[in-house]
Amino acid sequence: MPVITLYYDDIEELSGVDKDIIIQRIPMMGCDIERIEEDHVDIEFFPNRPDLYSTEGVARAIRGFLDIETGLRKFSLTPSDISITKDREIEKIRPYLACAVIRGIRFNSRSIESLMSLQESLHWAVGRNRKKVSIGVHDLGRIKPPFRYIAQDPGFKFIPLDFTEPMTMREILEKHPKGVKFAYILEKFDKYPLILDAEDNILSFPPIINGELTRVTEDTKDLFIEATGLDPSVSVALNIVVTALAERGGRIESVTIDGRMQTPGLEPGIMELKISEVEELLGIRLEDKELIHCLERMRYGAIISGSNIEVSVPAYRSDILHTWDLVEDIAIGYGFDRIRPEFPSTSTIGNAHPISRLKEAIREIMVGLGYSEVMPFTLTSERIQFDMMRRERIKNVTHILYPISEEHTIVRPAILPNLLEILSINRHRELPQRIFEVGEVVKDCRTVQHLGAVAIHPQANFTEIQAVVDAVMRERSIEYEVAESSDPAFIEDRRADIMIRGERAGVFGELHPEVISNSGLEHPIIGFEIEL
């Protein structure tokens, strides 16, 4: 989760609140203080509040939470004569675009650092590491509108940010640090996105890097901001950036796209909230005036309309998807410290679930055998689960409807691939390494418990892993047999299936060299996986 640095002089100037009061009260807004230093405090905010990823956003929220400035923050939006056009070819590469102009900014080192930090945090939280959305911020005084958003050949040259010599777009992807890091986003395209001005000066090569020409400095007074991406969330990112800059006195102007659409759109959204729903979810009854006050402290507009509340949601609040999100903010505005805890009216005695007892017993056995427990993610990808393991892809896996990345597209059907990921991450650590996990997998839309373990060291062999499997089965008093296995993840003639009552329950053996190589490892690896 993003950690935001708040310099005391900057946050005090923007909020009008003493730093000690901010440090005391800000955790009640739903965040964690990471560290308190002499000149700043580092605060970790949850991913659902990207509007708080800057000093400006925090100052706006603090003013409301402490009753200094409550209610909906209204932003003035003035039309400009600046426009941008999109090339038809760009529709196939990175089709969505939102732009704005900010005038009258007075930058210093603090405000520039806050803007750059906000930009990168939004790339992670909203942009899914720039793939979904990327943001470019440019010194408007050094370029000339109108602008063009086009698809350009990879051989086109310009000077990228932090460099002094021109490079082709292909060279940027191969040599520039940002290009190397984000090249995968554009790897399947023959042409790359490019934004130019009226004199063919380069603004940016989204989502990779800006041009050096438009670098923002303390002398910059006016900004041109563009957000490009794969879906309409480009508007969300743009709204967060421009409203943050407005907190520093910037004047927001709209930009015309393709002669018909103007961005940004800063009109608040309207939601209807039932008063009875608030009481039902929070368990406390609040008077109408107090409900309105709680919402206004969280910077909403709110009007009572019969048994409902008409709530105006700020354009920068992209996290408000359901009325329950509003109820959560009412609880924050009311103050969690004011909600009195109560003992339940009934008394019960808890007991461990049979699955929990089984897993605890398995953990004790594996630790006794010299293995350390790890907890990999349960979300994975077919590439990791099947391709890297030399296993054929199967149809009955559980897919994620809206995955956040290419590495988290399915719920895992096996544990071994995740354990190899852990070994890969720790390949610089000393050997031997012996790790295990007892956890859930999903097979045929059914959640089952698996035990998986791997060991890596130069002498790892079939006999060692067979002894581990035998010890586990003996300690659990389970009779089993071994049978010839055809699992391609293991070396032929150094693998075996675990058979219980005539059915295949697992597999063990020496991992295939190709599987080891796919994980970036070099030493022999042994492992087993069994359904519990």
Side-chain angles (χ1 to χ4, degrees):
M1 292 185 288
V3 176
I4 311 303
T5 297
L6 301 179
Y7 291 99
Y8 299 139
D9 56 348
D10 201 24
I11 188 66
E12 286 181 341
E13 181 180 350
L14 286 171
S15 66
V17 180
D18 182 76
K19 67 179 180 65
D20 294 329
I21 296 176
I22 293 174
I23 292 172
Q24 178 187 0
R25 296 295 296 159
I26 202 167
M28 299 309 298
M29 290 173 55
C31 60
D32 292 321
I33 295 177
E34 285 285 299
R35 63 190 66 85
I36 300 174
E37 303 292 350
E38 186 176 341
D39 65 338
H40 71 273
V41 58
D42 291 332
I43 300 179
E44 183 179 59
F45 287 97
F46 291 115
N48 68 322
R49 288 298 303 271
D51 59 297
L52 298 180
Y53 292 173
S54 66
T55 307
E56 299 85 0
V58 173
R60 179 175 56 221
I62 279 286
R63 292 197 303 269
F65 191 68
L66 298 182
D67 290 324
I68 297 171
E69 177 189 285
T70 61
L72 184 69
R73 171 76 159 89
K74 295 181 180 180
F75 300 95
S76 176
L77 180 62
T78 305
S80 74
D81 58 356
I82 294 177
S83 64
I84 185 169
T85 56
K86 291 197 300 179
D87 185 4
R88 285 185 179 181
E89 289 184 282
I90 206 67
E91 295 292 335
K92 302 175 182 178
I93 304 172
R94 201 168 180 82
Y96 287 87
L97 173 68
C99 304
V101 168
I102 302 291
R103 296 193 185 274
I105 284 286
R106 294 182 179 179
F107 276 121
N108 55 36
S109 59
R110 292 275 195 265
S111 54
I112 289 179
E113 181 179 341
S114 179
L115 175 60
M116 297 302 110
S117 176
L118 172 61
Q119 184 180 1
E120 288 307 313
S121 295
L122 291 176
H123 283 159
W124 175 81
V126 180
R128 299 292 185 258
N129 214 19
R130 299 197 188 193
K131 183 175 182 179
K132 188 178 176 183
V133 176
S134 64
I135 306 159
V137 180
H138 312 279
D139 186 337
L140 184 60
R142 306 182 70 181
I143 47 181
K144 184 178 180 180
F147 305 113
R148 291 173 292 143
Y149 182 33
I150 67 172
Q152 183 61 271
D153 291 324
F156 183 84
K157 285 188 174 183
F158 71 97
I159 302 176
L161 194 65
D162 298 326
F163 276 57
T164 57
E165 297 297 326
M167 301 173 68
T168 68
M169 298 170 81
R170 184 181 291 108
E171 287 174 335
I172 291 173
L173 297 184
E174 294 171 352
K175 299 177 182 179
H176 194 289
K178 294 294 185 183
V180 172
K181 185 175 182 180
F182 300 110
Y184 72 94
I185 301 175
L186 300 174
E187 61 186 0
K188 66 180 181 180
F189 298 109
D190 297 327
K191 291 188 175 183
Y192 300 148
L194 196 67
I195 298 180
L196 310 89
D197 75 352
E199 297 178 346
D200 292 338
N201 294 310
I202 307 305
L203 278 69
S204 71
F205 169 19
I208 309 300
I209 193 72
N210 285 355
E212 177 65 26
L213 176 67
T214 63
R215 176 190 290 273
V216 175
T217 69
E218 292 187 23
D219 295 326
T220 300
K221 299 292 186 292
D222 302 327
L223 297 174
F224 176 73
I225 304 171
E226 40 86 7
T228 66
L230 303 180
D231 69 25
S233 55
V234 294
S235 297
V236 170
L238 182 69
N239 287 347
I240 292 172
V241 174
V242 299
T243 54
L245 291 170
E247 298 296 335
R248 294 214 181 251
R251 302 188 306 275
I252 308 172
E253 295 184 1
S254 62
V255 173
T256 303
I257 300 176
D258 282 339
R260 59 182 184 274
M261 181 176 73
Q262 288 196 334
T263 61
L266 298 179
E267 288 298 314
I270 304 297
M271 296 182 71
E272 292 285 338
L273 175 63
K274 294 181 179 179
I275 296 176
S276 58
E277 190 175 14
V278 179
E279 183 177 350
E280 181 181 349
L281 287 175
L282 295 187
I284 55 176
R285 175 160 181 76
L286 300 177
E287 297 296 329
D288 291 354
K289 285 185 178 180
E290 193 157 24
L291 283 172
I292 296 298
H293 180 228
C294 291
L295 285 165
E296 289 180 341
R297 290 185 79 194
M298 300 302 290
R299 305 313 304 264
Y300 296 99
I303 301 173
I304 296 290
S305 177
S307 60
N308 295 339
I309 308 174
E310 184 181 284
V311 183
S312 298
V313 181
Y316 55 80
R317 287 298 300 271
S318 60
D319 58 305
I320 306 301
L321 306 176
H322 192 278
T323 53
W324 291 359
D325 298 318
L326 298 176
V327 176
E328 179 187 16
D329 271 4
I330 289 174
I332 295 173
Y334 178 75
F336 285 119
D337 53 337
R338 294 177 59 196
I339 300 177
R340 291 179 299 177
E342 295 180 358
F343 281 106
S345 57
T346 58
S347 178
T348 59
I349 299 174
N351 193 16
H353 193 282
I355 290 178
S356 297
R357 290 198 294 267
L358 170 63
K359 292 167 75 171
E360 189 61 36
I362 293 293
R363 289 189 182 99
E364 188 173 350
I365 294 170
M366 293 304 299
V367 170
L369 291 170
Y371 283 71
S372 299
E373 186 177 16
V374 295
M375 296 179 66
F377 292 122
T378 55
L379 297 186
T380 181
S381 69
E382 290 179 298
R383 183 182 69 85
I384 294 170
Q385 285 285 318
F386 303 110
D387 300 346
M388 293 179 62
M389 296 295 292
R390 302 180 73 245
R391 290 169 171 169
E392 290 186 8
R393 295 194 179 195
I394 56 178
K395 294 182 179 179
N396 55 356
V397 297
T398 302
H399 289 268
I400 306 302
L401 186 59
Y402 300 112
I404 63 172
S405 75
E406 293 179 349
E407 300 301 313
H408 301 91
T409 57
I410 62 172
V411 184
R412 66 180 182 185
I415 285 178
L416 271 182
N418 298 110
L419 296 180
L420 293 179
E421 283 190 286
I422 299 294
L423 292 183
S424 178
I425 293 170
N426 290 277
R427 57 181 176 269
H428 60 289
R429 303 288 184 180
E430 63 181 18
L431 301 180
Q433 293 178 28
R434 296 182 174 90
I435 59 174
F436 79 96
E437 184 195 6
V438 51
E440 297 177 340
V441 303
V442 176
K443 300 167 69 174
D444 296 324
C445 297
R446 185 172 65 95
T447 301
V448 294
Q449 305 298 323
H450 273 209
L451 166 64
V454 292
I456 179 171
H457 58 90
Q459 288 77 42
N461 57 46
F462 181 85
T463 303
E464 178 185 340
I465 197 63
Q466 183 181 24
V468 173
V469 172
D470 191 65
V472 172
M473 304 304 257
R474 183 177 64 251
E475 290 296 320
R476 294 298 300 165
S477 301
I478 298 173
E479 294 184 6
Y480 77 104
E481 297 176 347
V482 297
E484 186 176 347
S485 176
S486 59
D487 192 328
F490 297 87
I491 300 174
E492 188 175 356
D493 297 330
R494 300 184 195 177
R495 61 192 179 192
D497 286 339
I498 301 170
M499 309 296 293
I500 299 176
R501 293 186 293 276
E503 294 187 9
R504 183 179 184 274
V507 63
F508 67 90
E510 298 181 27
L511 273 296
H512 196 282
E514 186 178 333
V515 173
I516 297 173
S517 177
N518 288 341
S519 298
L521 299 165
E522 299 176 353
H523 295 284
I525 301 176
I526 52 177
F528 77 89
E529 183 164 354
I530 186 171
E531 182 177 332
L532 296 178

